[in-house]
């Protein structure tokens, strides 16, 4: 069972490190508002993962993954939310095009925890991932619900460690990211990336 759990951890670690909407949202908050907001955003993302984990264990996520109507509804809401975040970032990048130094931008009004939570919980690919992949990774020596719950917790911990380390690295380079030109460029890049992920979520199938 230990070997199976170790192999599952390796798979989950690789999937956690693949850049996706969560990393784009965290980047946007951490660069704009600092590492504390970045960590709060990660907390919301982790809560979203745990929410999907609970739904998976009780079987509701499987219903979503199997229902084309429910899947489409959730993915369109999630895609719209990611696109909204992207548009906000692009609009913010146009706030001041002058080359003169500018004060730090005001913090986004949206709560960082809620931003992370909504961006994750409205991503139906997490439901498909949990219901489709986790059962194949669950240790055979454990009851299925317990094995699934353990892997969900493991995935949440890996997400906290990976994104938390990423935010702290961004914090060390905060002086660089506070330069007006760099900040505007980052807003534009993250805006385009978020809109791109929104389109990807909207056009994917279960």
């Amino acid at each position: 069972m230990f070997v199976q759990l170790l192999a599952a951890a390796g798979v989950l670690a690789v999937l956690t490190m693949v850049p996706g909407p969560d990393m784009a949202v965290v980047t946007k908050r951490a660069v704009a508002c600092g590492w504390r907001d970045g960590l709060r955003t990660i907390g919301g993302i982790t809560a979203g993962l745990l929410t999907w984990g609970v739904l998976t264990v009780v079987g509701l996520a499987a219903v979503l993954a199997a229902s084309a109507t429910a899947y489409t509804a959730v993915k369109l809401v999630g895609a719209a939310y990611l696109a909204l975040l992207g548009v906000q970032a692009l609009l913010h990048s146009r706030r001041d095009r002058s080359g003169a130094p500018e004060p730090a931008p005001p913090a986004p009004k949206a709560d960082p925890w809620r931003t992370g939570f909504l961006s994750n919980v409205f991503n139906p690919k997490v439901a498909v991932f949990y219901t489709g992949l986790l059962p194949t990774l669950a240790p055979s020596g454990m009851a299925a619900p317990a094995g699934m719950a353990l892997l969900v917790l493991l995935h949440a911990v890996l997400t906290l460690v990976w994104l938390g380390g990423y935010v702290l690295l961004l914090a060390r380079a905060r002086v660089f990211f506070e330069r007006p030109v760099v900040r505007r460029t980052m807003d534009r890049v993250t805006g385009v990336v978020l809109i791109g992920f929104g389109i990807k979520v909207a056009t994917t199938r279960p």
Side-chain angles (χ1 to χ4, degrees):
M1 185 176 70
F2 176 76
V3 174
Q4 289 178 312
L5 189 60
L6 192 61
V11 173
L12 291 174
V14 171
L15 293 175
T16 300
M17 290 185 289
V18 174
D22 289 343
M23 180 170 283
V25 171
V26 168
T27 301
K28 178 178 180 295
R29 294 293 310 207
V31 170
C33 307
W35 63 271
R36 291 181 178 84
D37 260 33
L39 293 181
R40 293 189 186 100
T41 305
I42 296 170
I45 289 170
T46 304
L49 291 176
L50 294 176
T51 298
W52 278 120
V54 171
L55 294 176
T56 300
V57 172
V58 300
L60 295 180
V63 175
L64 173 62
S67 170
T69 301
Y71 181 89
T72 299
V74 172
K75 80 172 183 178
L76 290 180
V77 172
Y81 185 69
L82 290 174
L84 174 63
L85 294 177
V87 170
Q88 289 176 341
L90 290 177
L91 291 176
H92 185 267
S93 72
R94 297 169 60 87
R95 185 175 60 87
D96 187 351
R97 294 185 175 184
S98 67
E102 59 184 52
K109 295 181 180 180
D111 177 76
W113 189 94
R114 185 171 64 248
T115 297
F117 178 77
L118 292 178
S119 68
N120 187 273
V121 84
F122 282 121
N123 183 359
K125 297 302 288 184
V126 180
V128 175
F129 165 64
Y130 275 7
T131 58
L133 180 61
L134 287 193
T136 67
L137 299 176
S140 58
M142 300 179 65
M148 295 275 286
L150 179 60
L151 292 183
V152 168
L153 290 174
L154 179 59
H155 187 214
V157 170
L158 289 171
T159 300
L160 280 172
V161 172
W162 171 249
L163 291 181
Y166 172 67
V167 164
L168 294 179
L169 285 176
L170 287 178
R172 293 182 66 87
R174 184 76 190 274
V175 174
F176 172 77
F177 287 113
E178 284 180 341
R179 297 176 182 174
V181 173
V182 175
R183 190 163 60 233
R184 286 194 295 270
T185 300
M186 286 297 298
D187 280 337
R188 291 167 185 167
V189 170
T190 55
V192 171
V193 168
L194 285 168
I195 292 173
F197 278 126
I199 294 172
K200 182 178 179 180
V201 169
T203 56
T204 53
R205 298 181 179 180

